[in-house]
Amino acid sequence: MRILVLHGPNLNLLGKREPQVYGTATLEEINSAVTALGRELGAMVECYQSNSEGALVDKLQAADDRFDAVVFNPGAFTHYSYALRDAIAAVGIPVVEVHLSNIHAREEFRRHSVLAPAAAGQISGFGPDSYLLGLRAAVALAGKGTAG
Ligand code: DQA
């Protein structure tokens, strides 16, 4: 089983970016934890971060043939990217939306995800554990195949 973990804009700055909101774990630490859990669950995990919407669309499109599910923190694109929503809807594999912070408890503009209706589900507010929970959800969904 192969799972793609995708990180959107500014998540490369984790550790030093607004630590009171996003915590002190770096992206590298999160990727290591997700990869280690993947190993335990029998899943090969590949991690990719980009600040660019087009690169994330390309990665999602390419993931369709290469991965069984995606764990995706789209960063601020969550709130306005119809291109990413369409890409999620276009691929046949399940995409689990994750957020470090609880987007529903923050500023008004963050409370709405334009991606959520196309995603398999959303996990929000558990810090780096959101990714680990997202991975467990992705593995469970991938195990059910495309019909699940
Ligand atoms: C985020 C929440 C978004 O609103 C924000 O733009 C991010 C990170 C999170 O993980 O909590 O960049 O996706």
Side-chain angles (χ1 to χ4, degrees):
M1 187 181 294
R2 292 177 60 91
I3 308 289
L4 174 65
V5 176
L6 265 187
H7 309 278
N10 299 306
L11 295 167
N12 54 312
L13 300 179
L14 283 178
K16 55 183 183 219
R17 173 193 183 200
E18 300 182 83
Q20 72 285 3
V21 178
Y22 298 115
T24 53
T26 64
L27 191 63
E28 210 178 6
E29 287 164 350
I30 290 173
N31 286 342
S32 300
V34 174
T35 304
L37 179 62
R39 214 171 290 127
E40 260 177 54
L41 300 176
M44 252 279 293
V45 172
E46 182 180 311
C47 302
Y48 176 81
Q49 188 275 331
S50 178
N51 293 323
S52 135
E53 186 181 24
L56 294 165
V57 169
D58 288 343
K59 199 73 185 175
L60 281 167
Q61 289 184 7
D64 212 4
D65 292 333
R66 295 190 48 228
F67 294 91
D68 300 297
V70 181
V71 175
F72 189 16
N73 184 347
F77 288 139
T78 304
H79 314 297
Y80 67 93
S81 175
Y82 297 118
L84 282 170
R85 177 187 173 141
D86 285 352
I88 292 169
V91 296
I93 54 175
V95 176
V96 179
E97 177 183 340
V98 302
H99 301 282
L100 295 150
S101 63
N102 179 358
I103 59 170
H104 303 286
R106 298 187 61 195
E107 303 98 310
E108 189 64 41
F109 78 93
R110 291 188 205 276
R111 294 185 194 160
H112 184 64
S113 166
V114 300
L115 309 187
Q122 184 193 74
I123 296 167
S124 179
F126 302 100
D129 283 345
S130 290
Y131 283 93
L132 301 178
L133 294 165
L135 179 64
R136 287 185 187 278
V139 166
L141 288 168
K144 287 184 190 159
T146 47

